[in-house]
Amino acid sequence: GIGRFVNALDPILWPQLKWTAIELSKVSASLLAAIRPDISVVNTPFEGWVNENKHLFGTYDLVVSNPPYGARGRYASIDREKGYAETRAYAYQIRRGIDLLRPNGIGVFVIPSGFVSGTGPSLRALRERVLLRSHFMGAFRLPSETDDGKSLFPGALLVTDVVFLR
């Protein structure tokens, strides 16, 4: 995106933070790079960045992600590692985000509410894969609309969770 997460932490107050932003949209990546020249912005599919940076697995203290909620589509074939053939983009990004964390690192993911409360077999299997590798610290359910009925996510009434994993 254009930096809502990174802009939440003022670089003057948090000079020790070094950000790497992976953004698929060329427009969003260009805007973020212009707004925040102090961070590393990479315009590529997350799968491509993962393939080129496996040497960084286990090195990040914090991973913050608001992944796409739909299918991975054509990008699914980029990472061919067995065991990561997730069809949903957010599921792939959670699992690979965990790979990037060092011990006691924290992953923060803004994802569909089904991850936490879904009862279907595919969601249960996803939770199992994630929880075998990380500790569920907690989650916050975000409302889909304001008190006056306006969508918080323009064009969709989505119920999302902010999930914290260690």
Side-chain angles (χ1 to χ4, degrees), residues 3-165:
R4 286 191 174 102
F5 288 128
V6 296
N7 289 330
L9 298 167
D10 187 328
I12 293 170
L13 299 175
W14 300 88
Q16 70 275 26
L17 292 179
K18 307 295 180 225
W19 290 98
T20 301
I22 296 92
E23 174 54 48
L24 178 61
S25 164
K26 186 174 185 169
V27 171
S28 293
S30 297
L31 287 170
L32 179 57
I35 294 167
R36 290 293 301 271
D38 59 309
I39 69 172
S40 172
V41 179
V42 183
N43 177 218
T44 191
F46 185 61
E47 291 87 344
W49 186 87
V50 164
N51 272 347
E52 294 175 12
N53 292 284
K54 290 186 178 176
H55 64 282
L56 295 175
F57 284 3
T59 65
Y60 281 79
D61 293 311
L62 176 66
V63 170
V64 181
S65 179
N66 182 11
Y69 295 172
R72 286 174 65 203
R74 67 181 187 210
Y75 305 113
S77 64
I78 294 174
D79 184 349
R80 296 176 188 239
E81 188 169 329
K82 188 176 180 176
Y84 287 90
E86 299 289 348
T87 57
R88 294 183 296 287
Y90 81 88
Y92 175 81
Q93 288 197 15
I94 290 171
R95 295 189 61 221
R96 281 306 197 188
I98 292 167
D99 290 345
L100 291 163
L101 292 173
R102 71 176 67 231
N104 292 315
I106 296 174
V108 183
F109 303 92
V110 181
I111 55 175
S113 61
F115 176 78
V116 172
S117 57
T119 59
S122 67
L123 290 170
R124 284 185 173 152
L126 173 60
R127 279 195 300 271
E128 183 176 323
R129 287 190 301 276
V130 168
L131 296 176
L132 285 172
R133 304 232 12 256
S134 63
H135 170 75
F136 179 78
M137 297 172 65
F140 295 92
R141 177 129 313 150
L142 302 177
S144 61
E145 58 188 49
T146 62
D147 290 337
D148 59 353
K150 293 181 182 174
S151 175
L152 289 177
F153 302 97
L157 287 176
L158 297 173
V159 178
T160 57
D161 292 332
V162 180
V163 175
F164 294 82
L165 302 168

